[in-house]
Amino acid sequence: MALEQRLELKHTVTMSPEAYQGLAILSMPAIELNQLVEAELERNPVLEVEDLDRDASEDEQPAEESSEAERAWDEWVAEYEELQRLDGTSERDPDRFTDVAEDRAVASETLADHLLEQIGLFDVEDDVARAARAVVGLLDDDGFFRGTVEEISTVAGVSLRAAAAGLELVQRLDPPGIAARSLEEALKMQADALGVRSDLLDAIIDKHLESVAAGRTKRIARAERVSEEDVLGAIEALRALNPRPAAAFSSTEGIQYVVPDVVVRRFDGEWVVLPDFDVVPMVRISPRYRSMLAGGDGVDEEARKYLKEHVRKAESFIRNLDRRRQTVVRIAEVIVETQREFFETGRGPLKPLRLEDVAIELGVHLSTVSRGVTGKYMATPHGMFELKHFFSGGYRTRTGLDISSTSVKQRIRELIRSESPSAPLSDQRIVETLADEGIPVARRTVAKYREEMGIPPSWMRKRRSEEARIRGASR
């Protein structure tokens, strides 16, 4: 076989390590990010925790290295500290800025809960949503879908087209790789979501996973006719993928604590959104190492190279932390502005708000908002809420008022809670009651919302009531 050279033009999409790290950091809940920051502080000697109480004159960093942006940031931090010192007159007074460092909520969200919440954020046909919910019920513990489209169709009672669309919808949800039908498909879906997919990575996934496990990189390079360096780069991307997409949800027992990413308080009549630095501290590059690198006195070339590399990594890490912090804060600001009535009273109805609306408002990609919302929590004067709590589709009443589907669900729950046990409300009666209140909702929508809230149909509620009455009479 003769060797030959030929010119070949290929279109590939690559992602820098900084961008890849940025996406991972944006997706992390606060507790995981805190652990990452601690690990990075141990790995990188030039990084240190920023002391917000430190006087600027104590830093050894030369004045010319302090940019205008850094001074603006210091001023903002000073304002944050001033807000922390404020006090109010009532424990639940929205004007009171309390320390929420110990404010913790307990999360027991299962994989099914996580997926069903996301399905509710999509504006799709009812049969497609029903098929998607059926797919969620057919996933195994690792998040794989082992059934068929025909099985989805049978379980959900929908057409094959709707069943296929439902499966495709679930495969677009977080975590990436969910509802894949094989390990190979799961890895490719994750690579797509992270923007690291390539022909070489596909080939390694399809044909060389055993060689990767055995460390046979040269064999892979020869088989694919690429350099070993290219193979090592693809393997590095591969190792960042998760062979068990639902691993984070595999244990539904025990308690998982969540902490706020942002704090919302009212200050001088205006709502202010602030990052919670007690959870994820600010980090900086040590002024001492910066001065060593800048001065160079007594620093040999090898040490200079070492410092320069670690400073570069530290700067990249700090930029990604700042981008995540700013993105979550900006999303929270849009939420506060949209749901102002809720924040004023703690009881106001939520307005319709979609991920797409926030993406357009901020001028970012939809996936950025999705990553910035998932697993992120907001501490408010009215309690701790996941950012996803404030997102939903909506309806317009006869008076022109927009209300969210979350508010409609809450009203349905209230109607059922106050119904007569001997004559529970049917879905049609609930539709009529909502219509009388100016809220036009279809019967199948009421049934869907009722199922999502885990409320049985009227005939089952009546039977349970009668059984309870009989048991009470027999005692």
Side-chain angles (χ1 to χ4, degrees):
M1 178 176 169
L3 296 177
E4 60 176 345
Q5 288 184 333
R6 66 174 184 271
L7 186 64
E8 184 176 324
L9 183 64
K10 290 197 302 183
H11 178 70
T12 60
V13 178
T14 59
M15 176 178 287
S16 67
E18 178 178 352
Y20 180 81
Q21 183 191 60
L23 286 176
I25 286 176
L26 180 58
S27 301
M28 286 182 179
I31 290 180
E32 287 185 21
L33 183 58
N34 180 274
Q35 294 170 349
L36 176 65
V37 170
E38 290 180 355
E40 198 67 24
L41 286 168
E42 292 181 2
R43 271 197 301 263
N44 195 331
V46 307
L47 273 177
E48 65 180 22
V49 175
E50 178 77 38
D51 184 0
L52 299 183
D53 294 324
R54 178 193 298 271
D55 191 291
S57 62
E58 296 178 15
D59 291 341
E60 300 175 12
Q61 183 176 348
E64 60 270 18
E65 290 191 15
S66 297
S67 68
E68 198 67 29
E70 288 172 338
R71 285 198 293 271
W73 179 258
D74 290 339
E75 292 170 3
W76 190 91
V77 169
E79 181 182 351
Y80 169 79
E81 293 178 314
E82 179 63 26
L83 287 174
Q84 280 189 310
R85 287 192 288 271
L86 296 178
D87 198 2
T89 58
S90 170
E91 184 176 353
R92 303 300 287 176
D93 184 357
D95 289 315
R96 180 182 182 186
F97 192 94
T98 56
D99 183 5
V100 296
E102 300 303 322
D103 189 7
R104 300 293 182 264
V106 178
S108 57
E109 186 180 48
T110 64
L111 174 64
D113 293 335
H114 183 64
L115 297 175
L116 290 174
E117 281 187 12
Q118 294 177 75
I119 292 171
L121 298 177
F122 284 83
D123 184 15
V124 295
E125 300 172 358
D126 286 344
D127 56 350
V128 174
R130 191 158 62 250
R133 291 195 292 272
V135 171
V136 172
L138 294 170
L139 299 179
D140 66 15
D141 291 341
D142 292 329
F144 288 97
F145 175 69
R146 304 297 188 183
T148 63
V149 173
E150 290 76 11
E151 188 175 356
I152 301 171
S153 174
T154 301
V155 171
V158 298
S159 66
L160 291 175
R161 179 200 64 80
L167 176 59
E168 182 182 351
L169 173 59
V170 177
Q171 290 179 337
R172 291 160 54 192
L173 304 180
D174 177 80
I178 200 68
R181 287 158 288 195
S182 65
L183 171 62
E184 292 76 15
E185 185 180 26
L187 296 176
K188 291 176 183 178
M189 287 165 60
Q190 292 177 59
D192 265 334
L194 293 173
V196 297
R197 190 170 178 181
S198 65
D199 291 342
L200 177 57
L201 183 56
D202 279 359
I204 291 175
I205 291 172
D206 288 332
K207 300 180 290 185
H208 303 296
L209 289 181
E210 291 185 3
S211 294
V212 171
R216 303 190 189 102
T217 55
K218 291 183 179 179
R219 176 183 296 183
I220 299 172
R222 286 196 301 270
E224 300 302 324
R225 298 183 179 180
V226 296
S227 69
E228 189 176 4
E229 183 179 351
D230 289 340
V231 171
L232 291 173
I235 291 176
E236 183 179 357
L238 175 65
R239 285 176 175 158
L241 308 181
N242 193 340
R244 298 174 59 222
F249 298 88
S250 59
S251 176
T252 57
E253 298 181 357
I255 296 178
Q256 177 186 1
Y257 289 94
V258 296
V259 295
D261 292 85
V262 292
V263 181
V264 179
R265 291 293 184 269
R266 196 166 62 195
F267 177 57
D268 283 348
E270 293 296 326
W271 288 100
V272 180
V273 178
L274 300 167
D276 190 346
F277 293 114
D278 290 321
V279 177
V280 181
M282 289 182 63
V283 294
R284 68 173 185 174
I285 297 173
S286 169
R288 183 166 67 91
Y289 286 113
R290 275 196 183 277
S291 62
M292 287 175 59
L293 192 60
D297 297 335
V299 181
D300 59 33
E301 188 59 32
E302 185 175 350
R304 177 182 294 275
K305 183 178 178 182
Y306 175 86
L307 283 176
K308 187 176 293 186
E309 175 65 16
H310 282 74
V311 166
R312 183 190 65 78
K313 290 180 178 179
E315 288 175 340
S316 172
F317 185 69
I318 292 171
R319 277 195 300 270
N320 283 324
L321 285 180
D322 287 342
R323 286 169 185 159
R324 177 195 185 276
R325 188 178 291 117
Q326 292 164 8
T327 299
V328 176
V329 167
R330 290 173 67 199
I331 292 172
E333 288 173 342
V334 175
I335 291 174
V336 171
E337 183 63 30
T338 304
Q339 312 293 4
R340 179 174 290 272
E341 183 177 353
F342 171 85
F343 286 94
E344 293 289 346
T345 65
R347 296 182 300 274
L350 294 177
K351 293 182 179 179
L353 182 62
R354 301 177 305 160
L355 298 179
E356 294 91 332
D357 300 330
V358 178
I360 293 172
E361 176 70 20
L362 299 183
V364 298
H365 195 274
L366 176 62
S367 64
T368 299
V369 178
S370 179
R371 289 188 177 98
V373 165
T374 302
K376 313 303 188 297
Y377 287 79
M378 172 191 294
T380 78
H382 311 292
M384 182 96 76
F385 296 91
E386 190 173 10
L387 295 189
K388 287 193 298 184
H389 171 79
F390 300 98
F391 289 84
S392 68
Y395 299 88
R396 174 159 293 181
T397 67
R398 283 200 300 262
T399 61
L401 176 68
D402 289 330
I403 60 174
S404 72
S405 57
T406 302
S407 298
V408 174
K409 288 181 182 180
Q410 180 62 29
R411 182 56 183 147
I412 293 172
R413 188 187 296 275
E414 291 172 356
L415 290 172
I416 293 176
R417 187 181 293 129
S418 60
E419 69 185 3
S420 170
S422 60
L425 297 174
S426 66
D427 292 343
Q428 183 58 39
R429 184 71 187 103
I430 293 175
V431 169
E432 294 169 358
T433 303
L434 292 175
D436 292 341
E437 297 175 357
I439 306 173
V441 182
R443 189 197 63 78
R444 64 179 180 274
T445 303
V446 170
K448 179 181 74 172
Y449 287 171
R450 177 176 50 72
E451 292 171 0
E452 289 177 356
M453 292 186 291
I455 299 174
S458 57
W459 63 268
M460 187 177 294
R461 300 201 301 275
K462 182 176 181 179
R463 187 175 70 182
R464 289 180 179 177
S465 174
E466 291 176 347
E467 290 174 350
R469 180 177 56 80
I470 293 172
R471 285 195 301 269
S474 62
R475 289 177 181 174

